[in-house]
């Protein structure tokens, strides 16, 4: 007679079968999941590549970053935020000479100006050929909103006589970060304009991790200025000057014998020298452009005039 399995043996066999089934099922599920993930990554990479190719095609055909978009963006977005930023740094520059009442009034004025600026930025600005400018508009709006959100704490610090320019700056981190992101996008768009309409060559596919002084000198002006905007972001430099001011100072330094004397090999080191010596100021580009740039093609906006 066939020996019947004991209950414990039957349960053991059953558990082994279930375990094997789960193992095999898990293997095939994992394989399917990995295959799906790889296919999704490949599809995303292909889509990104196609979008980049389409963008390059439109740039070559001069269908992106039209002069009209730059003019519209400048007057509707950039001019108001530059005026607000300038007012902020002018107030900080006078801070030490103001009494308690004067500082309180200065903060109220900055808050009012930020509110007016935000009202301007919340208007629709059609930028049909300039996706980076449209994104910059959003980030500048976020920057001003964050500034206003921080103002209550800053005014509280002022009431307790604890507000200094350094304390105020530390309370504006979110506003500064949004500004620097927007700034990169603006100067990236100008570099794209330069690529399409001036040099008629594609920009580098990726920004080099290290920019040597030799590389810097080979890049066209607006691409250098885009890199300057990136250096400002990397160093968290929300300052009174603009990226073109930093570019002009870098060009002046790197064309001099001083850079060789200092042993400067890359642009990051040059930026550190300029910051350490407080050598960059608002308006440096316009001050130095006649000396540095005999011919310079720019979008027809007052920023470069």
């Amino acid at each position: 007679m066939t020996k019947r399995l004991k209950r414990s043996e039957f349960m053991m066999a059953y558990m082994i079968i279930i375990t094997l089934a789960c193992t095999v099922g898990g293997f095939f599920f994992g394989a399917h999941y990995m295959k799906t993930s790889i296919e999704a990554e490949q599809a995303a990479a292909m889509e990104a590549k196609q979008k980049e190719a389409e963008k390059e095609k439109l740039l070559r055909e001069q269908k992106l970053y039209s002069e009209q978009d730059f003019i519209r963006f400048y007057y509707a977005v950039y001019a108001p935020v530059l005026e607000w930023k300038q007012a902020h740094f002018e107030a900080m520059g006078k801070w030490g000479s103001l009494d308690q009442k004067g500082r309180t009034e200065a903060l109220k004025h900055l808050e009012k100006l930020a509110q007016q600026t935000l009202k301007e930025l919340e208007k629709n600005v059609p930028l049909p050929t300039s996706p980076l400018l449209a994104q910059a508009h959003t980030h500048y709006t976020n920057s001003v909103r964050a500034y206003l959100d921080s103002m209550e704490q800053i005014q509280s610090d002022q009431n307790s006589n604890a507000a200094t320019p350094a304390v105020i700056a530390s309370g504006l981190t979110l506003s500064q970060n949004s500004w620097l992101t927007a700034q990169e996008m603006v100067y990236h768009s100008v570099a794209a304009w330069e690529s399409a309409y001036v040099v008629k060559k594609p920009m580098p596919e990726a920004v080099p991790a290290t920019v040597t002084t030799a590389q810097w000198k080979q890049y066209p002006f607006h691409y250098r200025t885009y890199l300057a905007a990136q250096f400002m972001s990397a160093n968290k430099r929300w300052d009174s000057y603009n990226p073109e001011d930093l570019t002009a100072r870098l060009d002046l330094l790197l064309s001099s014998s001083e850079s060789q004397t200092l042993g400067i090999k890359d642009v990051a080191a040059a930026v550190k020298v300029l910051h350490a010596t407080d050598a960059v100021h608002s308006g440096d580009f316009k001050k130095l452009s006649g000396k540095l740039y005999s011919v310079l093609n720019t979008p027809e906006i007052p920023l470069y005039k």
Side-chain angles (χ1 to χ4, degrees):
M1 292 181 65
T2 303
K3 184 179 179 181
R4 297 181 62 184
L5 292 174
K6 295 180 181 179
R7 181 180 179 84
S8 60
E9 292 173 332
F10 178 80
M11 291 299 295
M12 179 63 72
Y14 180 75
M15 289 177 65
I16 291 172
I17 293 170
I18 292 297
T19 301
L20 287 172
C22 289
T23 301
V24 173
F27 171 79
F28 284 107
F29 177 79
H32 174 73
Y33 177 79
M34 288 182 65
K35 181 183 177 183
T36 303
S37 297
I38 291 170
E39 288 175 347
E41 289 176 2
Q42 290 175 337
M46 181 63 70
E47 183 180 1
K49 190 174 181 179
Q50 289 173 344
K51 285 183 178 179
E52 188 64 25
E54 179 64 19
K55 186 188 80 171
E56 289 299 331
K57 178 175 178 290
L58 291 172
L59 278 172
R60 287 195 304 272
E61 295 172 353
Q62 298 186 343
K63 293 180 179 179
L64 290 179
Y65 300 102
S66 67
E67 289 276 0
Q68 291 81 2
D69 276 6
F70 279 106
I71 293 169
R72 195 178 293 118
F73 177 83
Y74 180 85
Y75 287 104
V77 179
Y78 206 49
V81 296
L82 284 181
E83 181 183 356
W84 159 65
K85 185 185 79 162
Q86 182 181 2
H88 172 87
F89 282 103
E90 285 179 354
M92 295 302 100
K94 297 175 182 176
W95 198 257
S97 63
L98 297 175
D99 58 16
Q100 183 80 353
K101 181 180 178 182
R103 292 175 179 180
T104 300
E105 289 176 351
L107 290 177
K108 287 181 179 178
H109 172 70
L110 290 175
E111 182 179 27
K112 183 178 179 180
L113 182 57
Q115 289 169 343
Q116 293 171 348
T117 304
L118 182 60
K119 189 175 180 180
E120 290 295 314
L121 295 180
E122 287 176 338
K123 296 177 182 178
N124 181 50
V125 182
L127 300 164
T129 72
S130 307
L132 284 170
L133 291 180
Q135 292 175 52
H137 182 189
T138 299
H139 285 288
Y140 278 128
T141 304
N142 292 341
S143 177
V144 180
R145 282 203 186 103
Y147 186 92
L148 286 168
D149 290 343
S150 302
M151 192 54 71
E152 182 178 351
Q153 181 59 50
I154 291 171
Q155 289 176 335
S156 175
D157 291 339
Q158 170 54 27
N159 291 336
S160 60
N161 206 28
T164 64
V167 169
I168 291 171
S170 67
L172 295 174
T173 301
L174 291 177
S175 176
Q176 293 169 3
N177 289 344
S178 291
W179 176 285
L180 292 170
T181 299
Q183 183 170 260
E184 279 191 49
M185 291 175 172
V186 170
Y187 288 90
H188 192 178
S189 69
V190 181
W193 172 88
E194 177 184 57
S195 168
Y197 298 93
V198 182
V199 298
K200 298 182 180 178
K201 294 179 181 178
M203 291 185 293
E205 290 186 7
V207 175
T210 301
V211 182
T212 66
T213 56
Q215 284 176 307
W216 175 266
K217 292 174 183 178
Q218 291 174 356
Y219 291 139
F221 175 81
H222 294 296
Y223 188 76
R224 296 201 304 276
T225 306
Y226 167 49
L227 294 179
Q230 290 208 329
F231 281 117
M232 290 178 71
S233 293
N235 290 292
K236 304 296 183 184
R237 297 290 301 202
W238 187 63
D239 218 316
S240 60
Y241 61 81
N242 292 332
E244 67 271 13
D245 298 317
L246 177 56
T247 301
R249 280 295 171 187
L250 282 167
D251 287 344
L252 184 65
L253 173 61
L254 297 179
S255 65
S256 70
S257 59
E258 186 180 0
S259 64
Q260 296 178 350
T261 302
L262 294 171
I264 295 173
K265 302 295 183 183
D266 60 69
V267 179
V271 170
K272 288 181 181 178
V273 169
L274 292 175
H275 286 162
T277 56
D278 193 27
V280 189
H281 303 96
S282 176
D284 278 349
F285 166 75
K286 292 181 179 179
K287 177 182 176 181
L288 297 170
S289 60
K291 177 180 180 179
L292 294 172
Y293 316 114
S294 56
V295 177
L296 183 61
N297 293 299
T298 68
E300 291 297 321
I301 53 177
L303 183 65
Y304 301 104
K305 306 302 180 185

